[in-house]
Amino acid sequence: MPRSVIVHENFLRRVPARDFPAGKAPVPGLGPVQAVEVFRAQLESRALDLTARAMQKAGQGFYTIGSSGHEGMAAVAAALRPEDMAFLHYRDAAFQLMRARQVPGQSPVWDMLLSFASSSEDPISGGRHKVLGSKALNIPPQTSTIASHLPKAVGAAYSLGLARRRPPEHRALAEDAIVMCSFGDASANHSTAQGAFNTAGWTAWQHVPLPLLFVCEDNGIGISTKTPDGWIEASFRARPGLRYFKADGLDIYETFAVAKEAADWVRARRKPAVLHLRMVRLYGHAGADLPTTYLPKAEVEAEEANDPLLHSVRLLSEAGAMDPEAALAAYLETRERVDRVAAEAVTRPRLKDAAGVMASLIPPARACRPTNGPEPAARAAAFGADLGQMAEPQIMSRLINWALTDLMLEHGEIVLMGEDVGRKGGVYGVTQRLQARFGADRVIDTLLDEQSILGLGIGLAHNGFLPMPEIQFLAYLHNAEDQLRGEAATLPFFSNGQYTNPMVVRIAGLGYQKGFGGHFHNDNSVAVLRDIPGLILACPSDGAEAVRMLRECVRLAREEQRVAVFLEPIALYPMRDLLAEKDGGWMRAYPAPGERASLGSVAVHGEGRDLAIVTFGNGVYLSRQAQADLAALGIAARVVDLRWLAPLPEAAMLEAVAGCGAVLVVDECRRSGGPSEAIVAALALAGVRRVARLAAEDSFIATGPAYAATMPSRAQIVAAARAALGR
Ligand SMILES: Cc1ncc(C[n+]2csc(CCOP(=O)(O)OP(=O)(O)O)c2C)c(N)n1
Ligand SMILES: [Mg+2]
């Protein structure tokens, strides 16, 4: 017999027999009316679990991970306010159901059943996944990657203090709200979780406000692997900067009282805390998981005997809030009602086609306050003597610095964060003086943890800021990449466009740094960024391009709520000359504020028709050199700078190469996974017949004299061009 049926029958048998698991008398705090509300939310949660299983059996439901055993989370919801943004563990249906009881006009059972049924009318994900979540209830949906929501919860909590000091235009969270974030005991071990605890503690240690309540739902096991006895308490009890609270999550009175104490503490002191709740996990990890295959039956039965609903019935009875007969009747009535609602929910429409699924990959545009650009007086004050040099050609790093200055003057909600971006001004000076100009609130020197940097950005974006996180080197994105791939890029998708985290991530990267750093400072792979649905990947080739493209990225984030990655070629930051020493051929004047290079556009250099060289980043620089060499050989080439690596500007590219005798694609990234794979495919599919490719070797980059040996060179481009033309 399925464990779910056993637990159900135990309940039906034990309540009339007054056979309850032992526990404390109800502690004060939860009033009788509220206690009954909590219990009703628990009952709905339980009934939904059972119905989800029946729906799956009938081929009408598609996901059965449940909340049974974790219904005590309803008492945590009761202790919080609906304005407190909640980043929830997947076992927290009871939390959402209880929160819905605190907000008028909600129909959470119907909503959740639509989600179980993958109906396109599911109000949170539009039928894309069975997720908890609700815009009205301040519950953003979470992915099932455990612990990956913790860094952004830290960021959202940080945003509360920042928003008090400088409210952003699209502020979403209330002045005295706190943030809540829950997770399982096994999840607490994940390095992403550990990073978030550390970042929260590190922040609070410095008396920076961080009103965040972590809730660890400790059922003692993660799928089949047990958490060592006492581990969670031992690892949280004495963490610097984090206050520890503990309660029996099976007891709604105690849970409410301690959760209230913890929430009040977090709210009043604006500091982070951990609430450690003891839970049980009933009927295994998810529908297909049989706990008796890896746990002794007696142990499974002991957990079942501790059903939190049985604890609640005893407690409500002892508190005089509800007698067991009424509780049993409510249980049966709830089950029957949920089944009835489910029968209706499964008749609702489902997503059918790719267009329907993809409709929320790109979030809707939002209305923004109009702006006339940065104020002249503010510019004069910020730029000082630099203002007089703007018509003079400059190196790229300086121009990006100026662009950032103008953007920050224009948009008060822009916040920069990263390793060494503030006082030092970045490893390459790109963010120099920005902290002096805009203050430590807007240019944040973070701790050394890329997941936390991106999490801070995502969390700030949840509260209306426009974050511009910096990753110091592309090679160091990879240990945090899931924050973009699994989190930032999926939020609009799984929330049907209701939740967004627009931002512009600046990353210094790519190769060709003469003799510096080797592979870890010269990473020439963008494969992990190219295939993230909805993500924009920009890669400028010179300073003026960088300025215009950065402005477009900020516009896309601010107005269209997009997530953009702005990949800055390090080797081009200081580049001055193109063809001869001191020719200044790679320096550019500062484009006037307002000039932008739009997404989907390309830049074309030269009008040659013998050959089009399609490239980006450092490839543009090398191809412009090769273009001169080819001209000396009588070959007229044009260089097409793609600007955008995702989505590729296919139409503009095809227009730019039209009528050319051949196309050479120059890709400084690896042959495998580099953008040229898609570029060549697009050209071929469009019928362009003579296409050649020069890409980097499938190798890591060496330091020392061979620093550029694995990547395309000026001479190789010339040779490849001649070969393509047979000349
Ligand atoms: C990063 C990641 N690794 C593995 C998994 C697969 N997985 C899903 S839940 C889970 C166990 C989580 O246990 P715990 O945190 O204790 O939560 P519980 O299910 O017990 O409530 C695992 C390994 C995952 N979702 N994400
Ligand atoms: Mg667990």
Side-chain angles (χ1 to χ4, degrees), residues 40 53 182 332 460 505 538 540 564 582 607 666 701:
R40 289 191 184 279
R53 281 161 192 254
S182 52
L332 293 170
L460 286 185
V505 183
K582 299 230 180 322
E607 289 166 2
V666 175
I701 289 173

Side-chain angles (χ1 to χ4, degrees), residues 118-120 126-128 347-358:
S118 296
S119 166
S120 51
R128 291 179 182 80
T347 67
R348 305 311 302 161
R350 293 185 163 114
L351 290 171
K352 282 186 212 71
D353 53 19
V357 172
M358 293 167 70

Side-chain angles (χ1 to χ4, degrees), residues 295-325:
L295 290 177
K297 196 162 169 222
E299 222 172 279
V300 174
E301 287 174 346
E303 294 279 280
E304 289 168 354
N306 251 323
D307 182 346
L309 296 192
L310 289 169
H311 282 277
S312 291
V313 176
R314 175 188 65 80
L315 287 158
L316 289 168
S317 165
E318 285 180 23
M322 192 182 219
D323 65 46
E325 279 68 36

Side-chain angles (χ1 to χ4, degrees), residues 319-335:
M322 192 182 219
D323 65 46
E325 279 68 36
L328 183 58
Y331 175 91
L332 293 170
E333 179 277 323
T334 306
R335 285 224 48 198

Side-chain angles (χ1 to χ4, degrees), residues 70 89-91 144-146 184-187 190 219 221-223 285:
H70 288 236
H89 186 43
Y90 47 72
R91 296 204 193 281
S144 51
T145 311
I146 52 95
D185 50 300
S187 306
H190 200 281
N219 57 25
I221 198 162
I223 304 189
H285 179 69

